[in-house]
Amino acid sequence: MALNPTHELHGRRFSRNLGVALCLAFFVALVFALTVVKVKRGDPMQGYDHTVRPEMVPGTGRAADPVTGGPTDGATGG
Amino acid sequence: MTDIGAFQAETAPQEAGFGDYVQLLKPRVMSLVVFTALVGLLVAPVSLHPVEAFAAILFIALGAGASGALNMWWDADIDAVMRRTRNRPVPAGRVQGGEALAVGLALSGISIVMLGLATNLVAAGLLAFTIFFYAVVYSVWLKRSTPQNIVIGGAAGAFPPMIGWVAATGSLSVEACLMFALIFMWTPPHFWALALFMKEDYHNAGVPMLTVTHGRKSTRRHILAYTVLLAPVSVWAALTSIGGPLTLAVALGLNGWFLIGAARIWRRGETQAEADKYAVEKAFFRFSLLYLFLHFGAFLAEAALKPYGLGGW
């Protein structure tokens, strides 16, 4: 019996490999799309440079102390 | 036949194709999970970005598939005995048990982490609990030890709409709990009707289904009892913010029909059922699938009509 290079076994193996490849490609695309969506929204990215901005301090519109993260105190000059 | 020919004949059926791995994830169960989770997500008062919503549904479905693979790994011995399940990839020998376990564990991890990243940690935690509940509490612990396996294990199938809701809102609510309760109360009559006409399967496999441990008359009583308990849950859900006049009408109609079917099952004896080849039980089982589809479809319709001032209360 001659070896058949296109035996059903090869077909099954190919379908498995193709399926895994497509799933991985799809997964990469999905993670990329999710990243774009989340980065565009931007809210959690405010502290990327470790500087707290006024709008990040709950309940106050005052400038935040760059060291402590809290609102600056006018008396001390913060 | 040469050695190579013999080798090919012996190994060819063992070589799994991609479809065999898809079968491990129980695609039919996944379709129900996708539908109910999608409804839970879409009827929630907070809307997600379409990409996030798609990812949420995908990873909830993947988590359900992962628990299905773990279930197939654990239950391979009884699946091989039951006519309904003997062609599954593991008992049929196309996929090794260890492979099913690996696929189940890997997909569990991926789905939980990705759902957490795509939506929120509460939804990811609920998904993790659902997988644990189905794979360990139901498959490993309850299924072979108590006739209440379906009742308690049914909780695993009831979580998806709740996870969908939590993925969107980040918290639980009475509506999410009622969608959970609806599927939870629906599961026993659905599966016990199946057990009535697939009687040999569970008996041969030694699974303590109610039909085997308490008899068929008792199972018929239980179907009626759970169908009666399902009705108020369904109507209550229709009266909340996810319901409306349309859902209430659908709920009343579906429950009326379901109760009539359960009462007919309760009144019948085995002789009568065998005479018509379990026609009433089979019709009840088919209707139970329609029940869930239409009920959740009604929730979805209410949400879709709301922007036009038509849906909801």
Side-chain angles (χ1 to χ4, degrees):
Chain A
M1 186 177 182
L3 263 177
N4 186 351
T6 54
H7 190 272
E8 191 216 6
L9 183 143
H10 296 102
R12 283 169 171 270
R13 225 171 253 176
F14 177 75
S15 88
R16 202 169 63 199
N17 295 340
L18 183 67
V20 171
L22 290 175
C23 284
L24 284 174
F26 177 74
F27 183 69
V28 169
L30 183 63
V31 170
F32 180 71
L34 270 173
T35 308
V36 170
V37 167
K38 290 197 179 282
V39 167
K40 270 190 174 171
R41 189 178 299 144
D43 299 344
M45 300 295 288
Q46 280 277 358
Y48 69 97
D49 56 356
H50 306 285
T51 303
V52 182
R53 287 164 182 68
E55 64 270 26
M56 294 173 71
V57 182
T60 175
R62 295 165 65 190
D65 188 299
V67 178
T68 64
T72 53
D73 188 339
T76 60
Chain B
M1 186 182 275
T2 65
D3 287 349
I4 292 170
F7 172 77
Q8 284 179 330
E10 192 179 307
T11 55
Q14 302 295 324
E15 189 77 20
F18 187 70
D20 292 317
Y21 292 99
V22 173
Q23 288 302 314
L24 274 184
L25 310 184
K26 299 191 178 180
R28 284 177 68 182
V29 177
M30 271 171 89
S31 63
L32 187 68
V33 168
V34 166
F35 177 63
T36 55
L38 185 68
V39 172
L41 190 140
L42 291 177
V43 301
V46 182
S47 61
L48 286 176
H49 187 282
V51 174
E52 287 176 317
F54 174 77
I57 297 302
L58 179 73
F59 293 118
I60 293 170
L62 202 62
S67 60
L70 293 172
N71 169 271
M72 283 205 198
W73 160 69
W74 183 260
D75 278 347
D77 56 337
I78 53 177
D79 281 352
V81 178
M82 297 205 289
R83 199 177 52 212
R84 187 171 65 89
T85 54
R86 69 170 58 137
N87 283 327
R88 284 178 174 175
V90 180
R94 296 192 301 276
V95 174
Q96 299 299 310
E99 285 181 286
L101 174 64
V103 167
L105 289 176
L107 291 184
S108 298
I110 291 170
S111 58
I112 293 165
V113 170
M114 288 306 299
L115 183 65
L117 290 172
T119 61
N120 58 67
L121 292 178
V122 185
L126 268 177
L127 181 64
F129 181 72
T130 306
I131 295 171
F132 169 79
F133 198 89
Y134 187 70
V136 179
V137 177
Y138 171 68
S139 301
V140 175
W141 179 32
L142 293 173
K143 188 172 178 179
R144 300 174 194 231
S145 61
T146 167
Q148 295 301 314
N149 49 15
I150 285 302
V151 180
I152 307 166
F159 274 114
M162 184 185 261
I163 302 174
W165 177 282
V166 172
T169 63
S171 61
L172 282 173
S173 69
V174 69
E175 290 87 351
C177 293
L178 283 169
M179 284 190 284
F180 170 90
L182 188 68
I183 302 181
F184 183 72
M185 299 306 295
W186 165 89
T187 306
H190 168 76
F191 271 103
W192 282 331
L194 177 73
L196 280 174
F197 61 84
M198 299 290 272
K199 52 182 183 176
E200 296 303 325
D201 264 8
Y202 292 110
H203 185 263
N204 293 344
V207 177
M209 281 300 268
L210 202 64
T211 43
V212 179
T213 59
H214 287 64
R216 310 174 72 73
K217 188 72 195 164
S218 171
T219 306
R220 292 172 186 278
R221 265 201 311 275
H222 275 76
I223 288 176
L224 180 62
Y226 274 90
T227 308
V228 169
L229 292 171
L230 173 66
V233 173
S234 155
V235 173
W236 186 8
L239 294 172
T240 63
S241 71
I242 55 172
L246 171 71
T247 312
L248 185 62
V250 169
L252 290 173
L254 288 175
N255 283 291
W257 200 254
F258 214 35
L259 279 165
I260 291 169
R264 287 178 71 196
I265 287 181
W266 171 61
R267 269 198 251 115
R268 275 153 69 88
E270 278 312 298
T271 321
Q272 203 178 350
E274 274 171 13
D276 64 9
K277 294 181 179 165
Y278 293 90
V280 173
E281 289 78 3
K282 285 177 182 171
F284 182 84
F285 176 76
R286 281 195 299 272
F287 181 74
S288 68
L289 291 167
L290 191 67
Y291 176 101
L292 206 64
F293 177 74
L294 289 179
H295 211 310
F296 275 80
F299 291 143
L300 199 57
E302 296 283 2
L305 290 171
K306 264 181 195 168
Y308 305 102
L310 295 170
W313 294 108

